[in-house]
């Protein structure tokens, strides 16, 4: 297999829904093999403020039935606050996205960085900072004011890779809920997204793809699908190219996203896609949990669900 490149990753067909792509199609292009079924599993940045034409296209052109939104309640509150500052239109209330999604699409809000993850970060704060955070939470009208304290003192030092490993460690319940949906054939095609569609979304994508490829760090491909990927090094290259393409795809809103990121106490590096992120996550899964199968089993994703995901997504032999 020739080394995959970012330039091979398909660009989003939308103007407002950034970082949108078909995961199956992308993997097949990058690997040069028909491994995954296209038109089933999509990823993107937040789609909620897209115009009605793009939302209708999700349903009518891409036939998406299910959207899994991985953002936190704070992100939703912040989005609602920004929306309320925009001129209202006849088709929307000032605190809601401009246009609704088509009724044929079912949306699930699963905050990937849920309560257990948040508690883990809180316990890393100094006592003085924890007291300041509690005071800010109850006195500030800004939804992100308290998060800024955690961001500056805990999240920024951890970096994207550290936070990704923390998510895998503390967000097992949320990941189980995501896989409950991904294991149901009738819910496809599925779109998974967070705010930027790169890190939290990337974690779900890597878990799905490692599950399909059947690999451990020292393992070999399971051979399913014509020309299946051979080993971990090849899989890393495919996943890395897909992940780092998000930086290119997010360029149109980079200034706005940098402002949001800095508003919660993080540096500009959190807007990027660092090389080695995927390799670091894959190593963490293997060293800490013994591989993706054991990890998913440990968070409660039953073998039946895991087999369903593979059967739904992989090209038949």
């Amino acid at each position: 297999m020739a080394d995959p490149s970012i330039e091979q990753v398909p660009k989003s067909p939308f103007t407002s829904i950034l970082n949108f792509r078909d995961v199956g199609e992308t993997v097949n292009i990058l690997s040069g093999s028909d491994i995954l079924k296209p038109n089933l599993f999509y990823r993107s940045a937040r789609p909620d403020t897209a115009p009605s034409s793009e939302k209708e296209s999700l349903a009518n052109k891409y036939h998406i039935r299910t959207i899994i939104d991985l953002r936190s309640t704070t992100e939703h509150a912040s989005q609602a606050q920004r929306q309320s500052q925009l001129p209202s239109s006849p088709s929307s209330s000032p605190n809601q996205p401009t246009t609704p999604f088509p009724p044929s699409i079912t949306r699930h809000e699963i905050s990937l960085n849920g309560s257990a993850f948040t508690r883990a970060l809180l316990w890393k704060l100094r006592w003085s900072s924890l007291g300041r955070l509690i005071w800010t939470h109850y006195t500030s009208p800004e939804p992100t004011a308290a998060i800024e304290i955690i961001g500056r003192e805990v999240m920024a030092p951890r970096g994207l890779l550290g936070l990704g490993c923390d998510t895998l460690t503390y967000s097992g319940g949320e990941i189980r809920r995501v896989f409950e949906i991904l294991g149901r054939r009738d819910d496809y095609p599925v779109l998974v997204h967070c705010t930027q569609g790169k890190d939290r979304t990337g974690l779900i994508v890597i878990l799905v793809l490692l599950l399909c490829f059947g690999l451990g760090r020292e393992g070999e491909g399971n051979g399913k699908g014509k020309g299946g990927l051979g080993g971990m090094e090849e899989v890393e290259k495919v996943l890395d190219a897909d992940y780092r393409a998000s930086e290119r795809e997010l360029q149109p809103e980079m200034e706005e996203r940098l402002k949001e990121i800095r508003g919660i106490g993080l540096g500009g590096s959190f807007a990027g896609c660092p090389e080695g992120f995927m390799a670091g996550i894959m190593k963490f899964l293997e060293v800490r949990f013994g591989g993706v199968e054991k990890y998913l089993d440990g968070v409660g994703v039953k073998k039946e669900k895991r087999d369903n995901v593979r059967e739904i997504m992989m090209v038949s032999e």
Side-chain angles (χ1 to χ4, degrees):
M1 182 189 79
D3 284 353
S5 69
I6 296 171
E7 289 70 27
Q8 292 176 279
V9 177
K11 296 181 179 180
S12 175
F14 298 110
T15 301
S16 297
I17 304 177
L18 302 183
N19 210 14
F20 178 93
R21 56 186 172 275
D22 181 331
V23 175
E25 177 191 26
T26 301
V27 167
N28 292 346
I29 290 172
L30 292 173
S31 66
S33 304
D34 291 331
I35 300 173
L36 300 181
K37 300 171 187 174
N39 309 317
L40 286 177
F41 186 41
Y42 297 88
R43 63 183 296 173
S44 79
R46 58 188 175 207
D48 41 328
T49 56
S52 58
S53 59
E54 293 192 1
K55 290 178 178 176
E56 291 291 339
S57 185
L58 290 177
N60 298 331
K61 180 177 180 179
Y62 296 95
H63 308 290
I64 287 171
R65 294 182 181 178
T66 305
I67 292 178
I68 302 175
D69 183 346
L70 303 175
R71 293 175 296 174
S72 67
T73 53
T74 301
E75 287 172 289
H76 284 289
S78 182
Q79 177 68 28
Q81 185 180 68
R82 286 193 299 271
Q83 194 66 35
S84 69
Q85 297 168 354
L86 298 174
S88 60
S89 68
S91 62
S92 66
S93 68
N95 291 318
Q96 297 297 322
T98 305
T99 57
F101 286 92
S104 60
I105 295 178
T106 300
R107 297 179 66 242
H108 299 271
E109 293 181 4
I110 303 175
S111 175
L112 195 61
N113 297 143
S115 57
F117 176 88
T118 302
R119 285 195 301 271
L121 295 189
L122 287 174
W123 284 115
K124 296 179 186 293
L125 287 169
R126 299 189 300 271
W127 285 109
S128 58
S129 298
L130 183 59
R132 186 155 44 90
L133 181 144
I134 294 171
W135 172 262
T136 302
H137 175 74
Y138 286 106
T139 60
S140 175
E142 294 293 331
T144 59
I147 299 298
E148 183 180 0
I149 298 171
I150 305 176
R152 184 174 59 254
E153 297 193 16
V154 180
M155 297 170 70
R158 294 290 291 150
L160 283 171
L161 177 57
L163 290 175
C165 295
D166 291 341
T167 300
L168 291 171
T169 301
Y170 299 111
S171 298
E174 290 79 9
I175 289 171
R176 181 180 66 250
R177 290 175 60 197
V178 171
F179 273 83
E180 285 294 320
I181 297 168
L182 296 179
R184 297 196 295 256
R185 186 180 299 274
D186 290 345
D187 286 1
Y188 284 82
V190 175
L191 168 64
V192 178
H193 77 88
C194 49
T195 294
Q196 300 183 86
K198 65 182 187 73
D199 303 312
R200 286 166 292 184
T201 301
L203 284 178
I204 297 302
V205 170
I206 192 175
L207 290 172
V208 168
L209 295 184
L210 289 178
L211 180 65
C212 288
F213 297 146
L215 288 168
R217 287 289 300 181
E218 304 302 327
E220 294 296 323
N222 58 18
K224 290 186 178 180
K226 184 168 62 177
L229 291 172
M232 182 55 62
E233 184 177 352
E234 291 183 3
V235 172
E236 274 187 16
K237 290 177 181 179
V238 168
L239 294 178
D240 186 64
D242 175 51
Y243 171 68
R244 291 195 295 119
S246 293
E247 191 165 332
R248 176 199 70 193
E249 291 293 291
L250 293 166
Q251 281 299 319
E253 290 186 5
M254 185 58 69
E255 287 304 315
E256 177 186 346
R257 292 171 193 275
L258 282 170
K259 183 178 178 181
E260 292 178 21
I261 288 167
R262 288 166 178 154
I264 58 171
L266 302 177
S269 63
F270 279 77
C273 299
E275 190 171 356
F277 176 84
M278 283 294 172
I281 292 294
M282 293 164 75
K283 182 177 180 179
F284 181 75
L285 278 168
E286 185 66 25
V287 172
R288 177 69 181 270
F289 301 102
V292 69
E293 290 276 0
K294 291 182 179 179
Y295 172 78
L296 291 174
D297 189 63
V299 302
V301 181
K302 303 298 184 184
K303 184 178 185 300
E304 178 186 2
K305 288 291 183 183
R306 304 198 302 269
D307 289 343
N308 285 350
V309 171
R310 278 188 284 255
E311 182 180 348
I312 290 167
M313 294 198 186
M314 296 199 72
V315 172
S316 301
E317 294 185 30

